[in-house]
Amino acid sequence: MDASKLKGRTHLILDSTNTESVLSGALESGSPPTCVIVDFDETLGLFNSTELYLATLRPRFLALLILGLIDLARPWALLRGPRKRFLYRDWLRVLITSILLPWSLFLWRRRAPEIVKRRTNEPLLAALTGANVPIHVATFGFRALVAPLLKHMAPNADLCVAGSFWAGYRNRSRGKRACVEERLDVDTVAGAVFITDGLDDEDLLQACRTPLLVYWKHTAYEPAFFHHYMPFVYTERGKRMGQRYLLHNVILEDVLLLCIAFAWLMPSPFLGAIGILMLHMSFWTIYEIGYWENDVIAVKNEAKPNLPAGAAAYATRMHPWMAWLTAAIIAAPGMALLTYFNFEAMPLFVTAYSWPIAFVSMLGLWFAYLALSRMVYWFYNRIDTNSRAYLYIGLQMSRTIGYAIFFYTNLAGILLLTALIVGRWLPYFSYRQSGQ
């Protein structure tokens, strides 16, 4: 959206260095404004309160896992209406993590003074403090997060609009103007100065007398845990950006056909399918190391490496030892389901053993399988590109038919998985031989 075309209104796209003088001029004009309405995230505070809150969640590994699973599951896709990600993603991330890690909001309130000290927009706050008009803060952020910060940042300011903990999506769906006019009368809004950094506030920019759209130079917007490892991120945003590869190729191909080939024959097929899903997600955290390694080696050894668009931005987030730890955490409950409810479907299960011994034994075998698969990918990444066409079939076997080590299947299941392998291998073989 072009800010200069907002229904013919003149909006000031300001360099933040001259904001104080422009704001002072607006406040001291012949007809003083009724009030100042100011956005919070990346305006009054030089940060995004939602992302900063999520980044402070502890224990860090558990927070990373929860946030990764939320982004993988995309629960907002099940809800109605347009712009689902904008409306629901932040709310669901804050709600779910705060429920599962209930000490987080308490710790956030304790950290508030330190956060304010380091991240307040001091020039803007100084200009607002000198103004002899009411100051109202209107944000799409969450009251539970913004209120403790505003208490230390600008105690005289009114937190006019902020999202609720249980229904944080409503303000975004209604628009900021409607929310503000519910708290302040229309004439007060019409005579106000409004300061924001985002065109998502277009409706309120149009309604106010003096709309100021400011991009602050020192704003530090950074997604939560951006520099930390998160499972499946390199696949989704680095290697296969925009393809939704994990959904379409891993879950709706690999996992679906694995369940047809193996879980369908189990005594408890539903629990077996859940177990196979968890094992395959465990497998993918290790397989993803090979994706990352492939791109890292290409940068080092090839004059013109053919890198995916998002590879460089997400390469630093891959930490193999964290991937192995994640694989263990995901695999353990999956293997527990399989060995407890479907041990008859596992050819290597020794019925004379007690369940704990069998579980530990099969989990150990699973990690040996992951190590072997990792070794195949390690060799694949280091041989010449023409020879990779032959080792590629081994990679595809490790993510499909190799599971026959753990579960009984039949001829139909073997043929089904073989068809999937061949269907992937032949185009790749053609590409390596002909370049097409």
Side-chain angles (χ1 to χ4, degrees):
M1 187 185 300
D2 185 352
S4 65
K5 298 179 180 179
L6 295 177
K7 300 180 183 179
R9 291 290 307 274
T10 300
H11 294 265
L12 301 176
I13 312 295
L14 300 175
D15 182 329
S16 58
T17 56
N18 69 349
T19 303
E20 188 171 356
S21 60
V22 174
L23 180 57
S24 297
L27 295 173
E28 296 169 4
S29 59
S31 164
T34 55
C35 65
V36 175
I37 304 171
V38 61
D39 188 22
F40 186 83
D41 289 332
E42 298 150 71
T43 301
L44 193 56
L46 296 174
F47 58 94
N48 182 284
S49 58
T50 298
E51 296 297 335
L52 186 59
Y53 169 72
L54 295 174
T56 62
L57 296 173
R58 298 295 183 270
R60 182 175 294 165
F61 178 79
L62 187 55
L64 277 164
L65 184 59
I66 294 169
L67 291 171
L69 291 174
I70 292 172
D71 274 343
L72 175 64
R74 302 171 193 260
W76 49 86
L78 303 175
L79 301 173
R80 294 182 177 181
R83 304 179 72 195
K84 297 176 184 179
R85 192 176 191 274
F86 171 74
L87 293 180
Y88 300 110
R89 181 174 179 260
D90 282 354
W91 169 61
L92 289 172
R93 292 160 79 213
V94 169
L95 178 66
I96 293 171
T97 54
S98 298
I99 291 173
L100 295 179
L101 306 172
W103 50 86
S104 301
L105 288 173
F106 170 74
L107 294 177
W108 175 256
R109 288 191 289 270
R110 289 190 61 184
R111 294 188 182 107
E114 179 186 353
I115 294 170
V116 167
K117 185 178 180 180
R118 294 184 291 112
R119 298 173 181 265
T120 298
N121 188 340
E122 297 292 353
L124 176 58
L125 185 60
L128 294 177
T129 302
N132 190 26
V133 293
I135 300 170
H136 302 283
V137 175
T139 177
F140 283 141
F142 302 92
R143 186 173 295 274
L145 307 184
V146 174
L149 302 175
L150 193 62
K151 176 183 176 182
H152 297 280
M153 187 182 294
N156 294 326
D158 166 46
L159 184 52
C160 177
V161 172
S164 71
F165 185 75
W166 297 107
Y169 61 91
R170 286 181 181 168
N171 288 350
R172 296 189 181 203
S173 62
R174 296 176 61 204
K176 195 169 282 188
R177 176 179 180 176
C179 295
V180 170
E181 289 181 345
E182 190 176 81
R183 292 287 307 274
L184 308 174
D185 62 76
V186 175
D187 291 338
T188 299
V189 175
V193 173
F194 177 45
I195 309 166
T196 184
D197 74 307
L199 290 172
D200 290 324
D201 298 334
E202 175 195 358
D203 55 346
L204 191 53
L205 285 167
Q206 292 287 357
C208 294
R209 187 183 77 180
T210 308
L212 303 181
L213 187 62
V214 186
Y215 300 110
W216 305 93
K217 284 185 175 180
H218 302 294
T219 297
Y221 175 80
E222 187 173 281
F225 299 115
F226 183 78
H227 296 293
H228 293 76
Y229 170 78
M230 191 174 288
F232 318 124
V233 164
Y234 194 79
T235 298
E236 286 287 276
R237 300 179 187 174
K239 191 74 171 180
R240 306 285 185 177
M241 181 180 288
Q243 300 180 30
R244 301 199 68 182
Y245 188 84
L246 211 64
L247 174 64
H248 297 301
N249 296 75
V250 177
I251 295 176
L252 296 181
E253 283 190 6
D254 289 1
V255 174
L256 182 60
L257 296 188
L258 286 169
C259 289
I260 294 172
F262 298 113
W264 190 258
L265 304 175
M266 293 179 177
S268 300
F270 178 72
L271 293 176
I274 295 175
I276 288 174
L277 171 63
M278 298 185 79
L279 287 186
H280 201 64
M281 292 297 97
S282 167
F283 172 88
W284 202 261
T285 63
I286 305 306
Y287 197 83
E288 190 176 48
I289 299 174
Y291 271 178
W292 165 77
E293 186 182 55
N294 182 272
D295 293 332
V296 169
I297 290 176
V299 170
K300 290 181 179 179
N301 299 336
E302 298 179 21
K304 295 182 179 180
N306 183 21
L307 291 181
Y314 289 93
T316 57
R317 299 184 64 176
M318 175 59 71
H319 300 287
W321 70 271
M322 287 290 291
W324 281 98
L325 180 58
T326 304
I329 291 173
I330 299 174
M335 189 61 77
L337 283 175
L338 290 163
T339 53
Y340 191 84
F341 293 100
N342 288 296
F343 60 89
E344 299 97 328
M346 306 179 76
L348 296 178
F349 194 97
V350 181
T351 56
Y353 290 163
S354 64
W355 174 76
I357 295 176
F359 164 70
V360 172
S361 301
M362 294 303 292
L363 192 61
L365 181 63
W366 173 251
F367 274 93
Y369 182 79
L370 293 183
L372 179 62
S373 303
R374 177 74 190 96
M375 188 180 302
V376 173
Y377 216 145
W378 189 90
F379 280 111
Y380 171 88
N381 284 330
R382 285 162 176 79
I383 60 176
D384 63 278
T385 53
N386 288 332
S387 300
R388 288 179 181 179
Y390 303 98
L391 200 54
Y392 182 81
I393 198 167
L395 294 177
Q396 296 305 314
M397 290 177 66
S398 71
R399 60 189 277 192
T400 51
I401 206 168
Y403 283 49
I405 296 172
F406 300 92
F407 314 113
Y408 286 117
T409 187
N410 55 20
L411 180 61
I414 292 172
L415 292 176
L416 178 67
L417 296 178
T418 301
L420 178 62
I421 293 169
V422 173
R424 288 172 172 172
W425 178 63
L426 286 178
Y428 183 79
F429 183 83
S430 173
Y431 162 67
R432 283 302 178 194
Q433 300 302 314
S434 65
Q436 301 296 321

